[in-house]
Short mmCIF file of all heavy atoms in Angstrom, two decimals:
data_model
loop_
_atom_site.label_atom_id
_atom_site.label_comp_id
_atom_site.label_asym_id
_atom_site.label_seq_id
_atom_site.Cartn_x
_atom_site.Cartn_y
_atom_site.Cartn_z
N ILE A 447 62.98 104.64 123.40
CA ILE A 447 62.51 105.89 122.83
C ILE A 447 61.67 105.58 121.59
O ILE A 447 62.13 104.85 120.71
CB ILE A 447 63.69 106.81 122.44
CG1 ILE A 447 64.67 106.96 123.61
CG2 ILE A 447 63.19 108.17 121.97
CD1 ILE A 447 64.06 107.59 124.84
N PRO A 448 60.45 106.08 121.49
CA PRO A 448 59.64 105.82 120.29
C PRO A 448 60.37 106.26 119.03
O PRO A 448 61.12 107.23 119.03
CB PRO A 448 58.37 106.66 120.53
CG PRO A 448 58.31 106.82 122.01
CD PRO A 448 59.72 106.87 122.50
N TYR A 449 60.12 105.52 117.94
CA TYR A 449 60.87 105.75 116.71
C TYR A 449 60.73 107.18 116.20
O TYR A 449 61.72 107.84 115.87
CB TYR A 449 60.41 104.76 115.64
CG TYR A 449 61.17 104.85 114.35
CD1 TYR A 449 62.40 104.23 114.21
CD2 TYR A 449 60.66 105.56 113.26
CE1 TYR A 449 63.12 104.31 113.02
CE2 TYR A 449 61.37 105.65 112.07
CZ TYR A 449 62.59 105.02 111.97
OH TYR A 449 63.30 105.12 110.80
N ASP A 450 59.51 107.68 116.13
CA ASP A 450 59.30 109.04 115.62
C ASP A 450 59.97 110.08 116.51
O ASP A 450 60.53 111.06 116.02
CB ASP A 450 57.80 109.33 115.51
CG ASP A 450 57.14 108.47 114.45
OD1 ASP A 450 57.86 107.98 113.56
OD2 ASP A 450 55.90 108.29 114.51
N THR A 451 59.91 109.86 117.82
CA THR A 451 60.58 110.79 118.74
C THR A 451 62.08 110.74 118.56
O THR A 451 62.77 111.77 118.58
CB THR A 451 60.22 110.43 120.20
OG1 THR A 451 58.81 110.47 120.36
CG2 THR A 451 60.87 111.40 121.16
N LEU A 452 62.61 109.54 118.33
CA LEU A 452 64.05 109.37 118.14
C LEU A 452 64.50 110.08 116.86
O LEU A 452 65.55 110.74 116.84
CB LEU A 452 64.39 107.89 118.08
CG LEU A 452 65.87 107.51 117.94
CD1 LEU A 452 66.69 108.15 119.04
CD2 LEU A 452 66.03 106.00 117.97
N VAL A 453 63.72 109.96 115.78
CA VAL A 453 64.06 110.66 114.54
C VAL A 453 64.10 112.17 114.77
O VAL A 453 65.03 112.86 114.33
CB VAL A 453 63.06 110.30 113.43
CG1 VAL A 453 63.27 111.18 112.20
CG2 VAL A 453 63.20 108.84 113.05
N ARG A 454 63.09 112.68 115.45
CA ARG A 454 63.03 114.12 115.70
C ARG A 454 64.20 114.59 116.56
O ARG A 454 64.81 115.62 116.29
CB ARG A 454 61.70 114.48 116.38
CG ARG A 454 61.49 115.98 116.52
CD ARG A 454 60.09 116.29 117.03
NE ARG A 454 59.87 117.72 117.00
CZ ARG A 454 59.45 118.39 115.93
NH1 ARG A 454 59.23 117.74 114.81
NH2 ARG A 454 59.25 119.70 115.99
N ASN A 455 64.57 113.80 117.56
CA ASN A 455 65.70 114.17 118.41
C ASN A 455 67.00 114.20 117.62
O ASN A 455 67.83 115.11 117.78
CB ASN A 455 65.83 113.18 119.57
CG ASN A 455 64.69 113.30 120.56
OD1 ASN A 455 63.96 114.29 120.57
ND2 ASN A 455 64.52 112.29 121.40
N CYS A 456 67.20 113.21 116.75
CA CYS A 456 68.43 113.16 115.95
C CYS A 456 68.50 114.34 114.98
O CYS A 456 69.58 114.93 114.79
CB CYS A 456 68.51 111.84 115.18
SG CYS A 456 68.78 110.40 116.23
N LEU A 457 67.37 114.71 114.39
CA LEU A 457 67.37 115.85 113.48
C LEU A 457 67.63 117.15 114.24
O LEU A 457 68.31 118.06 113.72
CB LEU A 457 66.04 115.92 112.73
CG LEU A 457 65.74 114.74 111.79
CD1 LEU A 457 64.43 114.97 111.07
CD2 LEU A 457 66.86 114.56 110.78
N GLU A 458 67.12 117.26 115.45
CA GLU A 458 67.41 118.44 116.26
C GLU A 458 68.89 118.52 116.62
O GLU A 458 69.48 119.62 116.62
CB GLU A 458 66.56 118.41 117.54
CG GLU A 458 65.08 118.68 117.30
CD GLU A 458 64.28 118.60 118.57
OE1 GLU A 458 64.87 118.23 119.63
OE2 GLU A 458 63.07 118.89 118.54
N ASP A 459 69.51 117.36 116.88
CA ASP A 459 70.95 117.36 117.16
C ASP A 459 71.75 117.79 115.93
O ASP A 459 72.77 118.49 116.06
CB ASP A 459 71.39 115.96 117.61
CG ASP A 459 70.89 115.61 119.00
OD1 ASP A 459 70.60 116.54 119.77
OD2 ASP A 459 70.77 114.41 119.30
N ILE A 460 71.28 117.40 114.74
CA ILE A 460 71.97 117.81 113.52
C ILE A 460 71.85 119.32 113.34
O ILE A 460 72.83 120.00 112.97
CB ILE A 460 71.41 117.06 112.31
CG1 ILE A 460 71.81 115.58 112.39
CG2 ILE A 460 71.89 117.67 111.00
CD1 ILE A 460 71.23 114.72 111.29
N MET A 461 70.67 119.88 113.60
CA MET A 461 70.51 121.33 113.50
C MET A 461 71.40 122.05 114.51
O MET A 461 72.03 123.07 114.19
CB MET A 461 69.04 121.71 113.71
CG MET A 461 68.14 121.34 112.54
SD MET A 461 66.48 122.05 112.66
CE MET A 461 65.84 121.18 114.09
N THR A 462 71.45 121.53 115.74
CA THR A 462 72.31 122.14 116.75
C THR A 462 73.77 122.06 116.34
O THR A 462 74.54 123.01 116.51
CB THR A 462 72.11 121.43 118.10
OG1 THR A 462 70.73 121.46 118.45
CG2 THR A 462 72.93 122.10 119.20
N TRP A 463 74.16 120.92 115.77
CA TRP A 463 75.54 120.75 115.30
C TRP A 463 75.89 121.79 114.23
O TRP A 463 76.92 122.46 114.29
CB TRP A 463 75.71 119.34 114.76
CG TRP A 463 77.02 119.06 114.09
CD1 TRP A 463 77.36 119.38 112.81
CD2 TRP A 463 78.18 118.46 114.67
NE1 TRP A 463 78.65 118.99 112.53
CE2 TRP A 463 79.18 118.43 113.67
CE3 TRP A 463 78.48 117.94 115.92
CZ2 TRP A 463 80.44 117.90 113.89
CZ3 TRP A 463 79.74 117.40 116.14
CH2 TRP A 463 80.70 117.38 115.14
N ASN A 464 75.04 121.92 113.23
CA ASN A 464 75.34 122.85 112.13
C ASN A 464 75.31 124.30 112.56
O ASN A 464 75.98 125.15 111.95
CB ASN A 464 74.35 122.63 110.98
CG ASN A 464 74.63 121.36 110.21
OD1 ASN A 464 75.69 120.75 110.37
ND2 ASN A 464 73.70 120.95 109.38
N ASN A 465 74.55 124.62 113.60
CA ASN A 465 74.48 126.00 114.08
C ASN A 465 75.49 126.29 115.19
O ASN A 465 75.47 127.39 115.76
CB ASN A 465 73.06 126.31 114.58
CG ASN A 465 72.05 126.37 113.45
OD1 ASN A 465 72.36 126.87 112.37
ND2 ASN A 465 70.87 125.83 113.68
N SER A 466 76.36 125.33 115.49
CA SER A 466 77.39 125.52 116.51
C SER A 466 78.64 126.15 115.90
O SER A 466 78.83 126.11 114.68
CB SER A 466 77.75 124.18 117.16
OG SER A 466 76.62 123.62 117.80
N PRO A 467 79.52 126.74 116.72
CA PRO A 467 80.71 127.42 116.19
C PRO A 467 81.66 126.46 115.49
O PRO A 467 81.82 125.30 115.90
CB PRO A 467 81.37 128.03 117.44
CG PRO A 467 80.28 128.10 118.45
CD PRO A 467 79.38 126.94 118.18
N HIS A 468 82.27 126.93 114.44
CA HIS A 468 83.29 126.18 113.71
C HIS A 468 84.57 126.14 114.55
O HIS A 468 84.90 127.10 115.26
CB HIS A 468 83.55 126.85 112.36
CG HIS A 468 84.40 126.04 111.43
ND1 HIS A 468 85.78 126.08 111.48
CD2 HIS A 468 84.08 125.19 110.44
CE1 HIS A 468 86.27 125.29 110.55
NE2 HIS A 468 85.26 124.73 109.90
N SER A 469 85.32 125.04 114.46
CA SER A 469 86.53 124.88 115.28
C SER A 469 87.61 125.90 114.93
O SER A 469 88.38 126.31 115.80
CB SER A 469 87.08 123.46 115.13
OG SER A 469 87.46 123.22 113.78
N GLN A 470 87.70 126.31 113.65
CA GLN A 470 88.73 127.26 113.23
C GLN A 470 88.22 128.70 113.19
O GLN A 470 89.01 129.64 113.20
CB GLN A 470 89.26 126.87 111.84
CG GLN A 470 89.78 125.45 111.74
CD GLN A 470 90.97 125.22 112.66
OE1 GLN A 470 91.81 126.09 112.83
NE2 GLN A 470 91.03 124.03 113.25
N TYR A 471 86.90 128.87 113.13
CA TYR A 471 86.31 130.21 113.07
C TYR A 471 85.22 130.30 114.14
O TYR A 471 84.04 130.11 113.86
CB TYR A 471 85.71 130.48 111.68
CG TYR A 471 86.68 130.23 110.55
CD1 TYR A 471 86.69 129.00 109.87
CD2 TYR A 471 87.57 131.21 110.14
CE1 TYR A 471 87.58 128.76 108.84
CE2 TYR A 471 88.46 130.98 109.10
CZ TYR A 471 88.45 129.75 108.45
OH TYR A 471 89.33 129.53 107.42
N PRO A 472 85.59 130.57 115.38
CA PRO A 472 84.62 130.52 116.49
C PRO A 472 83.48 131.53 116.36
O PRO A 472 82.44 131.37 116.99
CB PRO A 472 85.47 130.82 117.74
CG PRO A 472 86.86 131.00 117.29
CD PRO A 472 86.94 130.88 115.82
N ASP A 473 83.67 132.58 115.56
CA ASP A 473 82.63 133.58 115.40
C ASP A 473 81.66 133.24 114.28
O ASP A 473 80.74 134.02 113.98
CB ASP A 473 83.24 134.95 115.13
CG ASP A 473 84.15 134.95 113.91
OD1 ASP A 473 84.68 133.87 113.57
OD2 ASP A 473 84.32 136.02 113.29
N LYS A 474 81.84 132.09 113.63
CA LYS A 474 80.98 131.65 112.54
C LYS A 474 80.47 130.24 112.85
O LYS A 474 81.18 129.41 113.44
CB LYS A 474 81.75 131.61 111.21
CG LYS A 474 82.22 132.97 110.73
CD LYS A 474 81.13 133.70 109.97
CE LYS A 474 81.69 134.94 109.30
NZ LYS A 474 80.63 135.66 108.55
#
Side-chain angles (χ1 to χ4, degrees):
I447 309 299
Y449 183 81
D450 293 339
T451 302
L452 183 55
V453 171
R454 187 173 187 85
N455 291 344
C456 291
L457 296 182
E458 288 178 355
D459 289 337
I460 290 176
M461 288 191 293
T462 304
W463 173 278
N464 286 348
N465 291 321
S466 299
H468 190 275
S469 62
Q470 304 298 322
Y471 308 95
D473 57 334
K474 295 276 189 180

